mmCIF file of all heavy atoms in Angstrom:
data_model
loop_
_atom_site.group_PDB
_atom_site.id
_atom_site.type_symbol
_atom_site.label_atom_id
_atom_site.label_comp_id
_atom_site.label_asym_id
_atom_site.label_seq_id
_atom_site.Cartn_x
_atom_site.Cartn_y
_atom_site.Cartn_z
ATOM 1 N N VAL A 101 -9.991 -48.228 12.406
ATOM 2 C CA VAL A 101 -11.289 -47.833 13.013
ATOM 3 C C VAL A 101 -11.199 -46.429 13.652
ATOM 4 O O VAL A 101 -12.131 -45.662 13.580
ATOM 5 C CB VAL A 101 -11.756 -48.863 14.055
ATOM 6 C CG1 VAL A 101 -13.073 -48.424 14.727
ATOM 7 C CG2 VAL A 101 -11.954 -50.209 13.439
ATOM 8 N N ALA A 102 -10.054 -46.150 14.233
ATOM 9 C CA ALA A 102 -9.891 -44.887 14.930
ATOM 10 C C ALA A 102 -9.946 -43.677 14.015
ATOM 11 O O ALA A 102 -10.163 -42.539 14.481
ATOM 12 C CB ALA A 102 -8.549 -44.879 15.669
ATOM 13 N N PHE A 103 -9.830 -43.848 12.709
ATOM 14 C CA PHE A 103 -9.876 -42.738 11.760
ATOM 15 C C PHE A 103 -11.204 -42.618 11.074
ATOM 16 O O PHE A 103 -11.374 -41.809 10.190
ATOM 17 C CB PHE A 103 -8.729 -42.885 10.732
ATOM 18 C CG PHE A 103 -7.368 -42.833 11.381
ATOM 19 C CD1 PHE A 103 -6.625 -43.988 11.505
ATOM 20 C CD2 PHE A 103 -6.876 -41.661 11.886
ATOM 21 C CE1 PHE A 103 -5.399 -43.940 12.089
ATOM 22 C CE2 PHE A 103 -5.620 -41.612 12.485
ATOM 23 C CZ PHE A 103 -4.863 -42.767 12.577
ATOM 24 N N THR A 104 -12.176 -43.415 11.494
ATOM 25 C CA THR A 104 -13.519 -43.344 10.898
ATOM 26 C C THR A 104 -14.385 -42.344 11.619
ATOM 27 O O THR A 104 -14.231 -42.131 12.846
ATOM 28 C CB THR A 104 -14.210 -44.735 10.912
ATOM 29 O OG1 THR A 104 -14.437 -45.127 12.264
ATOM 30 C CG2 THR A 104 -13.387 -45.776 10.161
ATOM 31 N N PRO A 105 -15.365 -41.758 10.956
ATOM 32 C CA PRO A 105 -16.287 -40.815 11.633
ATOM 33 C C PRO A 105 -17.017 -41.489 12.781
ATOM 34 O O PRO A 105 -17.289 -40.827 13.775
ATOM 35 C CB PRO A 105 -17.238 -40.398 10.516
ATOM 36 C CG PRO A 105 -16.474 -40.586 9.255
ATOM 37 C CD PRO A 105 -15.590 -41.767 9.512
ATOM 38 N N ALA A 106 -17.354 -42.752 12.652
ATOM 39 C CA ALA A 106 -18.071 -43.465 13.740
ATOM 40 C C ALA A 106 -17.280 -43.432 15.042
ATOM 41 O O ALA A 106 -17.845 -43.273 16.106
ATOM 42 C CB ALA A 106 -18.398 -44.870 13.336
ATOM 43 N N PHE A 107 -15.992 -43.614 14.933
ATOM 44 C CA PHE A 107 -15.137 -43.602 16.138
ATOM 45 C C PHE A 107 -14.849 -42.198 16.640
ATOM 46 O O PHE A 107 -14.970 -41.925 17.821
ATOM 47 C CB PHE A 107 -13.779 -44.304 15.859
ATOM 48 C CG PHE A 107 -12.928 -44.453 17.051
ATOM 49 C CD1 PHE A 107 -13.094 -45.510 17.936
ATOM 50 C CD2 PHE A 107 -11.950 -43.487 17.326
ATOM 51 C CE1 PHE A 107 -12.307 -45.648 19.042
ATOM 52 C CE2 PHE A 107 -11.127 -43.652 18.453
ATOM 53 C CZ PHE A 107 -11.346 -44.718 19.314
ATOM 54 N N VAL A 108 -14.537 -41.296 15.730
ATOM 55 C CA VAL A 108 -14.209 -39.937 16.071
ATOM 56 C C VAL A 108 -15.384 -39.241 16.795
ATOM 57 O O VAL A 108 -15.173 -38.511 17.733
ATOM 58 C CB VAL A 108 -13.752 -39.108 14.833
ATOM 59 C CG1 VAL A 108 -13.554 -37.675 15.152
ATOM 60 C CG2 VAL A 108 -12.453 -39.727 14.273
ATOM 61 N N SER A 109 -16.582 -39.479 16.337
ATOM 62 C CA SER A 109 -17.775 -38.834 16.901
ATOM 63 C C SER A 109 -18.441 -39.654 17.983
ATOM 64 O O SER A 109 -19.449 -39.225 18.562
ATOM 65 C CB SER A 109 -18.783 -38.512 15.794
ATOM 66 O OG SER A 109 -19.281 -39.737 15.288
ATOM 67 N N HIS A 110 -17.890 -40.839 18.328
ATOM 68 C CA HIS A 110 -18.506 -41.695 19.335
ATOM 69 C C HIS A 110 -18.349 -41.112 20.730
ATOM 70 O O HIS A 110 -17.288 -40.657 21.111
ATOM 71 C CB HIS A 110 -17.864 -43.078 19.256
ATOM 72 C CG HIS A 110 -18.507 -44.088 20.191
ATOM 73 N ND1 HIS A 110 -19.747 -44.527 20.044
ATOM 74 C CD2 HIS A 110 -18.020 -44.688 21.314
ATOM 75 C CE1 HIS A 110 -20.078 -45.390 21.013
ATOM 76 N NE2 HIS A 110 -19.018 -45.476 21.803
ATOM 77 N N ASP A 111 -19.425 -41.134 21.479
ATOM 78 C CA ASP A 111 -19.392 -40.682 22.898
ATOM 79 C C ASP A 111 -19.116 -41.905 23.779
ATOM 80 O O ASP A 111 -19.930 -42.753 23.946
ATOM 81 C CB ASP A 111 -20.740 -40.038 23.260
ATOM 82 C CG ASP A 111 -20.727 -39.569 24.709
ATOM 83 O OD1 ASP A 111 -19.684 -39.556 25.383
ATOM 84 O OD2 ASP A 111 -21.831 -39.218 25.209
ATOM 85 N N PHE A 112 -17.870 -41.949 24.324
ATOM 86 C CA PHE A 112 -17.493 -43.066 25.168
ATOM 87 C C PHE A 112 -17.924 -42.875 26.611
ATOM 88 O O PHE A 112 -17.655 -43.698 27.432
ATOM 89 C CB PHE A 112 -16.023 -43.296 25.052
ATOM 90 C CG PHE A 112 -15.563 -43.850 23.715
ATOM 91 C CD1 PHE A 112 -15.162 -42.980 22.718
ATOM 92 C CD2 PHE A 112 -15.638 -45.203 23.470
ATOM 93 C CE1 PHE A 112 -14.763 -43.493 21.491
ATOM 94 C CE2 PHE A 112 -15.268 -45.688 22.221
ATOM 95 C CZ PHE A 112 -14.812 -44.837 21.231
#
Side-chain angles (χ1 to χ4, degrees):
V101 177
F103 298 106
T104 64
F107 184 85
V108 173
S109 66
H110 184 69
D111 179 10
F112 290 94

